[in-house]
Amino acid sequence: MNIINLWVPVFLYALFIFFLSSRPYGKSLSLFPASDKIVHIVEYSILGFLICRALKFSFISMSNFWVMSISIAVSALYGISDEIHQFFVPYRTADALDAIADFGGSFLGVICCMRYYYRGYSGKN
């Protein structure tokens, strides 16, 4: 895989998240209590997966531990920055529970990536 095929999906998906969180809305879109947290988990699972895949194939010699740690940190920090961004969007709020759901989704996506591509995530190559 080349660098463009690895990193363009990451940046496009991050832009997609930014676009979605930039849209003001007045009514809650919740189907049931905490359904928005499930959306955050799925959303950031995908981001975590994409970042993990891009890092592992871009930096072949990087250990799985560092690939996982950096992937989780970057996607979770993006989630925190997204919550801060929503603070400035009309009818939106910054929510610490959303940031926690983003972290959980990031973690889940990275684990899924490692299981899918590498059949293990012990931190050893």
Side-chain angles (χ1 to χ4, degrees):
M1 280 192 215
N2 68 29
I3 242 43
I4 292 172
N5 291 339
L6 293 171
W7 289 100
V8 167
V10 172
F11 292 110
L12 289 177
Y13 191 71
L15 281 172
F16 177 68
I17 291 172
F18 183 82
F19 169 76
L20 291 178
S21 67
S22 296
R23 300 180 64 195
Y25 61 88
K27 292 173 132 184
S28 175
L29 299 176
S30 295
L31 301 173
F32 55 87
S35 65
D36 67 314
K37 303 306 179 252
I38 293 171
V39 170
H40 279 267
I41 290 169
V42 170
E43 190 175 45
Y44 281 86
S45 290
I46 295 168
L47 183 63
F49 187 99
L50 290 173
I51 291 172
C52 182
R53 178 179 148 264
L55 278 175
K56 186 60 180 173
F57 287 111
S58 295
F59 303 100
I60 302 294
S61 64
M62 187 182 292
S63 74
N64 289 344
F65 172 81
W66 286 111
V67 168
M68 292 174 66
S69 298
I70 293 169
S71 299
I72 292 167
V74 168
S75 54
L77 286 171
Y78 189 76
I80 291 169
S81 73
D82 188 48
E83 290 305 314
I84 293 168
H85 163 247
Q86 286 182 30
F87 180 77
F88 299 100
V89 177
Y91 306 107
R92 301 295 293 261
T93 59
D95 185 355
L97 293 177
D98 286 350
I100 292 168
D102 297 344
F103 173 80
S106 300
F107 183 83
L108 181 64
V110 168
I111 295 299
C112 288
C113 179
M114 296 304 282
R115 298 283 293 177
Y116 181 78
Y117 285 109
Y118 312 111
R119 305 284 185 222
Y121 46 91
S122 66
K124 299 175 187 167
N125 280 336

